[in-house]
Amino acid sequence: MMRTLLVILMFLSPLTATAECLTRGTGDLGIVIERASGSIKVLDTSRHEVLFRVEGLGDLSHASAVYSRDGRYAFLFGRDGGLSKVDILCGTIVKRLVQGGNSIGGAISQDGSLVAVSNYEPGGVKIFSAEDLSPVADIPATPLETGEKLSKTVGLVDAPGQRFAVSLYDTGESWIIDMQDPKAPVIRRFTDIGRLPYDALITPDGRYYITGLFGQDGLSLLDLWYPEKGPRLILENYGKGEEKLPVYKMPHLEGWAIAGHRAFLPAVGRHEVLVVDMSNWSQVARIPVHGQPVFVMARPDGRQIWINYAFPDNDTIQVIDTESLQIVKTFKPGKGALHMEFTPRGEEVWISIRDKDEIQVYDTQTLEQTHSLPAEKPSGIFFTSRAHRTGL
Amino acid sequence: MRLKRSLPNLLLIAFTIIVSGLAIADITPERQAELIYLLRHDCGSCHGMRLEGGLGPALKPERFRHWSTETLAMTILYGRSGTPMPPWGPFITEPEALWLAGQLKKGIQP
């Protein structure tokens, strides 16, 4: 009986599971968002090839992705509130649902079992099972004084201890959501962290949650080892009294770059990259750059910082040497250089160039372009190496 | 804050906008296409590519029903200080802003 069952299974499984799926590891794979067409492409970073195109993913403007810890599934957060689980070995959508009206990114829990989504509309965080996207928790944000709406939530990240951290744009708060018991989330709220938090990040070691503020100078810092101490303002005197420049695209803090004991981050309303000493959170330098930085990303070995810019300077990329703090290269790969992603050990960086409908690959040693791959209005690029990094 | 800033200039701006409004017809189809592209991709980074909202609110005709085209154009040209909404005056002329405002009031799917 058992044997016949096994034989039947042996015949069945190749048909069901591997119809057109690949049998290989995923450590050198990734995806690129094709934001205008609601599709993604699955990329092979070793062969510089496109493996699959997956369509039908909704409005992917400002979409982002996280990975299951086995590196096989990408969870995509679309602007239209869509949450999709994509099997990158098969190029298929495993499950897709529209969980909210308008979302802005998500995170996967430390143990990989929960996927959290941050929503603008209605503001709050929703948490789902990573397995089948069934709902686990719904955590509405603080209502606005005007009544009908809830604050927008921004800067959602995962944190050690099966926690998530998130900030509230309209009401100026940071929350820690403890999901140790998924049925009973424990929320710790910190109010008055500063005006108009617009994005946040967690340091790669998972200790500090740092929120960028649009409505005032400085950033809010929360030490997750000692949350009871509450958040404090850092760099509050940075640029004091200087007129701010208009910002045509909000900087992203997710790519906050850390090299040795120094962190590099985009200034807001100033065409500068800030260099911060992480031992005491003081500013050690400001590097004048080409425009309003959007992503400031460190090559994984920390030797270089790559920067892209907001409109109208989004045709330019600059590279800073972290030792001399000098700009070592400025180049114009094309209009709409929207996102950069390093291969896991940093020998290459992949850059999406929206208006050329291509991804350009650069050798980070020679700083020369080596490959080009077609992609329709590409934006975010996400490699599977993120699966094993806190906050990504 | 917003009112304080814009009121003193309101009449002057409205006047220049109305005068330059006569030039709307001069916006070439190529430039119109560029403006729509800008709306989709650059306004879209804060308002959503389908203008359904993001950090900035949805830019939908229901919202603008009671707005004059001029007020809408002014918001685009001058932004809203104290918020992330930047002034687009350096990149868009007044007739272009009026044309865009008209499109937003009509309801546009860029």
Side-chain angles (χ1 to χ4, degrees):
Chain A
M1 178 63 198
M2 198 59 199
R3 180 165 291 179
T4 41
L5 208 79
L6 269 180
V7 172
I8 293 170
L9 275 180
M10 265 169 58
F11 277 102
L12 273 180
S13 56
L15 289 175
T16 49
T18 59
E20 292 180 36
C21 300
L22 302 170
T23 309
R24 55 168 293 168
T26 63
D28 58 350
L29 301 188
I31 61 167
V32 61
I33 310 278
E34 297 182 311
R35 66 178 193 173
S37 41
S39 52
I40 64 166
K41 277 182 167 159
V42 179
L43 308 168
D44 178 335
T45 63
S46 300
R47 294 166 171 269
H48 305 96
E49 275 176 8
V50 174
L51 298 178
F52 297 107
R53 182 156 194 259
V54 186
E55 297 179 359
L57 293 160
D59 181 354
L60 292 182
S61 53
H62 213 289
S64 60
V66 299
Y67 285 95
S68 61
R69 60 195 267 153
D70 62 5
R72 175 161 185 174
Y73 301 98
F75 298 91
L76 274 144
F77 310 101
R79 178 39 76 71
D80 56 0
L83 168 61
S84 311
K85 181 174 179 177
V86 174
D87 183 338
I88 61 169
L89 285 181
C90 304
T92 52
I93 302 173
V94 180
K95 178 111 196 216
R96 172 175 161 75
L97 52 94
V98 175
Q99 54 77 38
N102 194 325
S103 80
I104 178 68
I108 186 159
S109 64
Q110 183 174 35
D111 71 354
S113 70
L114 301 171
V115 173
V117 192
S118 165
N119 287 317
Y120 278 156
E121 189 79 64
V125 175
K126 284 190 186 166
I127 301 177
F128 300 88
S129 152
E131 188 61 39
D132 58 2
L133 303 188
S134 59
V136 173
D138 185 354
I139 300 164
T142 307
L144 304 189
E145 276 168 21
T146 49
E148 74 244 56
K149 290 207 169 175
L150 305 177
S151 175
K152 300 185 180 79
T153 49
V154 298
L156 173 65
V157 299
D158 60 291
Q162 195 69 355
R163 291 178 293 176
F164 293 105
V166 71
S167 293
L168 281 68
Y169 172 80
D170 305 273
T171 50
E173 300 173 65
S174 288
W175 290 5
I176 301 174
I177 303 169
D178 187 328
M179 292 300 292
Q180 220 94 236
D181 176 1
K183 284 193 256 356
V186 179
I187 303 166
R188 195 162 182 162
R189 297 176 171 84
F190 301 96
T191 53
D192 298 318
I193 68 154
R195 281 206 308 281
L196 300 183
Y198 65 90
D199 197 13
L201 67 98
I202 188 163
T203 47
D205 60 6
R207 175 164 181 184
Y208 297 102
Y209 180 65
I210 298 164
T211 308
L213 302 170
F214 192 87
Q216 67 171 83
D217 291 319
L219 297 100
S220 163
L221 173 89
L222 187 56
D223 183 347
L224 297 176
W225 285 12
Y226 302 100
E228 64 278 6
K229 290 183 182 166
R232 62 182 170 102
L233 267 188
I234 56 167
L235 303 181
E236 54 194 311
N237 291 318
Y238 160 68
K240 208 149 213 139
E242 292 168 24
E243 185 68 28
K244 286 196 185 173
L245 300 166
V247 175
Y248 290 95
K249 181 174 183 174
M250 299 303 279
H252 281 260
L253 289 177
E254 173 224 279
W256 216 41
I258 290 173
H261 60 103
R262 287 166 163 179
F264 294 72
L265 70 150
V268 192
R270 293 186 182 88
H271 295 178
E272 290 174 349
V273 167
L274 298 184
V275 189
V276 177
D277 182 339
M278 291 177 57
S279 62
N280 56 10
W281 300 105
S282 67
Q283 174 196 315
V284 292
R286 345 174 8 169
I287 307 171
V289 292
H290 180 70
Q292 167 66 55
V294 175
F295 284 100
V296 172
M297 315 268 285
R299 194 172 74 177
D301 66 348
R303 183 70 198 277
Q304 295 171 349
I305 300 290
W306 289 59
I307 310 155
N308 72 343
Y309 298 99
F311 175 92
D313 298 310
N314 63 16
D315 60 347
T316 302
I317 300 275
Q318 289 186 307
V319 185
I320 291 174
D321 174 83
T322 54
E323 207 172 31
S324 65
L325 304 185
Q326 298 298 310
I327 293 169
V328 291
K329 181 154 179 161
T330 300
F331 62 102
K332 295 193 184 289
K335 264 194 172 175
L338 295 185
H339 196 238
M340 302 169 284
E341 180 86 333
F342 289 95
T343 48
R345 297 192 186 189
E347 78 287 359
E348 284 179 353
V349 62
W350 291 45
I351 307 178
S352 41
I353 314 293
R354 181 192 66 203
D355 288 12
K356 286 192 174 166
D357 293 309
E358 67 170 351
I359 300 170
Q360 296 177 2
V361 182
Y362 288 80
D363 178 325
T364 61
Q365 205 73 43
T366 63
L367 307 181
E368 297 296 335
Q369 187 184 342
T370 54
H371 298 84
S372 161
L373 288 84
E376 218 174 289
K377 297 283 171 283
S379 57
I381 304 175
F382 304 92
F383 293 161
T384 53
S385 46
R386 289 172 176 253
H388 306 123
R389 293 178 59 195
T390 298
L392 294 184
Chain B
M1 168 167 232
R2 171 186 147 220
L3 277 184
K4 225 191 281 168
R5 201 181 109 108
S6 50
L7 264 180
N9 298 324
L10 192 101
L11 285 176
L12 185 68
I13 295 164
F15 178 73
T16 43
I17 284 182
I18 289 163
V19 171
S20 53
L22 301 172
I24 286 190
D26 295 345
I27 301 168
T28 62
E30 295 78 52
R31 183 59 185 158
Q32 290 183 8
E34 273 173 32
L35 289 170
I36 296 299
Y37 193 82
L38 180 93
L39 189 62
R40 181 178 171 84
H41 290 284
D42 296 301
C43 310
S45 76
C46 290
H47 292 280
M49 223 166 38
R50 296 179 188 167
L51 306 182
E52 277 161 8
L55 191 71
L59 303 179
K60 291 283 157 187
E62 308 85 70
R63 163 78 181 163
F64 300 128
R65 194 173 308 139
H66 301 294
W67 289 40
S68 68
T69 313
E70 288 74 24
T71 317
L72 193 46
M74 265 170 43
T75 307
I76 298 173
L77 286 174
Y78 293 88
R80 208 173 262 177
S81 72
T83 82
M85 173 61 190
W88 291 85
F91 312 104
I92 301 177
T93 65
E94 283 167 9
E96 289 170 355
L98 279 168
W99 181 81
L100 258 187
Q103 300 298 308
L104 288 174
K105 269 178 76 76
K106 256 193 272 171
I108 181 177
Q109 184 58 264

